[in-house]
Amino acid sequence: MKMFNPYKYYCKGVNGFEELRKIVKQGAEFAKDVANIMQERADLETTYAKGLSRLSTKIMKLSSNSSGSLCEGWKATSVEMECESDFHKHLSRALWEEISKPLKTWVETQQKTRRPIEAMVEKAVRQLADRRNDEYKTKKNAFSMSRDLEKFEEQLAEARDGKGKYTDRDITKLEKKCRQQYDVVQKCDKEYSEACQKAEAARQEWDLSILKGAAQMQVIEEDRINKMQELLKVFNSNISQQGPQLSQAYANLDKVVSQIDLKEDLKNVMKERGTGPPQPHQILFDCYAEDMNLSMNVNRRKQALKSYLFYIESAVEREKKGKEGVEKLLQVYKDRPNFADADAQDEAKNRLMQVTFTLNFLEASHLKINTALSVMNGQSKPNHRFVQYIETLKDKQVWLINPFVTVLFSYALCFF
């Protein structure tokens, strides 16, 4: 049995969160490499300072054995070399204590911050995969049971019409078998209906995890850029003290540092590697009775469609009550801003969005099944605001059951 792969529908191609995670990881590796380079530079400065100090001592010792203006000149040279040695010692200590060491600590902290974010998203992906697999299994079982029921009903019809050698006892057995199978079909249809709703809830949870994770990853990346900019300024400040002979080179560096623009950097990253606004879509109910190409008695088909409509209408009523409760809570937060903190208010807004998506999912499913029932009854198809957003896509994974999956592209429905 093929297992459901959520990335087929949600992570195909370049995904915003995955791309941002790569950017953050690359940024962390860059910061780590810079920290190592600054440590190597600090070691070089220490070695150079020791060499200058040793040469200064030699020149001073040589000059001490002589006298005259020429020796005083070399003594002054010795003093200058010692001062330059002290400068390089200070620069080495600054590169290590103010740049390399803090940057290494920051990289370790960032990695610890990033792990729970990635774990949260991975957990949501696993849960979504599990729910989709449950949905696939219950759907396959519902289709299988419906086929068996149709076979039994056809046998019973032949027996009642006198086709074949059937006794009254055989007919009674077939009637009993049909009733039992009908109960099984009802149970399987209900299980599939519940599995669909659970899968949609898992998809919404996955979607929120992606949005939340992407926002947190962006904060980490902004913090990294700010940190790197700050340390670059520290490096420029220390290195620019070497003397007027390098002032032009440091002026050029200072010009580059002063032109760093955080907002522009983020804008360029989004332009080059961004994926644009999310476009979620929902997989709607796809029952056996709805497919007119599948063999099924007309009356039983109508009864099955009505049963699905009943399940969906019950779920809609339940979700509407939940939505009313969330809206009342948001109104309380609006009237009394100090009643709850920002996290609680954001959680309530996210809950309202989840309920809205669920109602869209149920309403669109109801429309699809009701359309099939209307066609069977010779009525015109109902007009609805979701009609233009419903598409039927071919799904090779479930071709043994039904090669098509009906999808509600809900990015446009968020604004209703």
Side-chain angles (χ1 to χ4, degrees), residues 148-416:
D148 292 342
L149 176 59
E150 287 305 302
K151 291 179 181 178
F152 295 154
E153 290 289 347
E154 289 175 359
Q155 291 178 3
L156 179 59
E158 291 177 357
R160 288 173 175 173
D161 294 339
K163 298 179 182 179
K165 298 180 180 180
Y166 292 93
T167 64
D168 292 340
R169 184 177 181 182
D170 294 334
I171 294 175
T172 302
K173 289 182 179 180
L174 285 173
E175 289 175 345
K176 181 179 180 181
K177 186 181 293 185
C178 287
R179 287 193 299 271
Q180 293 174 345
Q181 186 66 19
Y182 178 81
D183 293 338
V184 173
V185 168
Q186 291 293 310
K187 180 181 178 182
C188 292
D189 287 347
K190 184 177 181 180
E191 290 175 350
Y192 171 53
S193 173
E194 293 173 352
C196 284
Q197 296 181 52
K198 290 179 181 179
E200 170 59 16
R203 187 203 64 78
Q204 294 176 16
E205 185 64 25
W206 176 89
D207 200 17
L208 288 176
S209 298
I210 286 291
L211 293 176
K212 185 178 179 180
Q216 293 173 336
M217 285 291 187
Q218 182 173 337
V219 171
I220 292 176
E221 181 62 8
E222 290 176 355
D223 183 47
R224 183 193 71 83
I225 295 176
N226 280 323
K227 187 69 176 179
M228 297 299 292
Q229 180 184 8
E230 175 186 346
L231 295 179
L232 189 56
K233 289 181 179 179
V234 172
F235 175 79
N236 181 48
S237 176
N238 283 282
I239 206 72
S240 61
Q241 300 175 18
Q242 288 192 45
Q245 67 274 18
L246 298 177
S247 60
Q248 185 59 46
Y250 303 142
N252 294 336
L253 177 61
D254 184 71
K255 182 179 180 180
V256 174
V257 172
S258 63
Q259 292 176 346
I260 294 177
D261 189 340
L262 173 60
K263 294 182 178 180
E264 188 65 24
D265 288 349
L266 291 174
K267 186 185 297 183
N268 290 334
V269 170
M270 293 174 64
K271 182 178 179 181
E272 294 174 2
R273 307 177 71 173
T275 59
Q279 297 184 356
H281 55 268
Q282 300 168 294
I283 300 177
L284 305 180
F285 287 98
D286 187 21
C287 62
Y288 181 93
E290 186 184 358
D291 192 339
M292 302 302 172
N293 294 322
L294 298 176
S295 174
M296 190 174 186
N297 177 269
V298 175
N299 293 330
R300 287 192 298 276
R301 188 185 297 275
K302 290 182 179 180
Q303 184 60 38
L305 292 175
K306 291 178 181 179
S307 297
Y308 268 105
L309 290 177
F310 175 76
Y311 300 149
I312 295 173
E313 289 167 359
S314 299
V316 168
E317 291 299 322
R318 183 173 62 253
E319 292 299 328
K320 283 183 177 179
K321 292 180 180 179
K323 184 178 181 181
E324 290 175 359
V326 176
E327 289 175 340
K328 290 180 180 179
L329 180 61
L330 286 173
Q331 187 62 41
V332 172
Y333 290 162
K334 182 178 179 180
D335 296 339
R336 301 169 61 186
N338 297 328
F339 186 78
D341 56 18
D343 291 338
Q345 295 182 27
D346 290 341
E347 184 176 351
K349 292 177 181 178
N350 289 335
R351 177 55 186 161
L352 180 60
M353 183 175 65
Q354 284 183 296
V355 174
T356 302
F357 269 115
T358 300
L359 284 172
N360 289 342
F361 166 75
L362 294 171
E363 188 174 346
S365 297
H366 187 279
L367 168 64
K368 191 166 73 75
I369 295 175
N370 192 31
T371 299
L373 187 59
S374 298
V375 171
M376 288 190 65
N377 292 330
Q379 301 172 351
S380 59
K381 295 182 179 180
N383 188 20
H384 198 277
R385 58 192 173 97
F386 288 172
V387 171
Q388 60 180 321
Y389 303 113
I390 297 178
E391 294 184 14
T392 300
L393 306 177
K394 193 166 185 179
D395 185 0
K396 295 181 179 178
Q397 283 195 5
V398 295
W399 67 272
L400 291 174
I401 300 176
N402 189 347
F404 298 97
V405 172
T406 307
V407 176
L408 172 66
F409 288 91
S410 55
Y411 59 87
L413 306 183
C414 299
F415 302 101
F416 288 101

Side-chain angles (χ1 to χ4, degrees), residues 32-88:
K32 184 177 179 180
D33 292 338
V34 169
N36 293 332
I37 291 172
M38 288 295 102
Q39 183 177 357
E40 292 180 13
R41 173 66 185 273
D43 294 338
L44 288 174
E45 293 292 340
T46 299
T47 301
Y48 185 60
K50 290 180 179 179
L52 285 176
S53 181
R54 185 176 66 255
L55 295 177
S56 173
T57 301
K58 287 184 177 182
I59 293 177
M60 182 61 72
K61 186 176 181 180
L62 289 173
S63 301
S64 298
N65 295 329
S66 303
S67 59
S69 59
L70 183 60
C71 291
E72 292 298 323
W74 283 109
K75 287 181 181 178
T77 302
S78 174
V79 173
E80 186 277 334
M81 292 180 69
E82 188 62 33
C83 290
E84 188 176 357
S85 174
D86 290 340
F87 169 79
H88 285 285

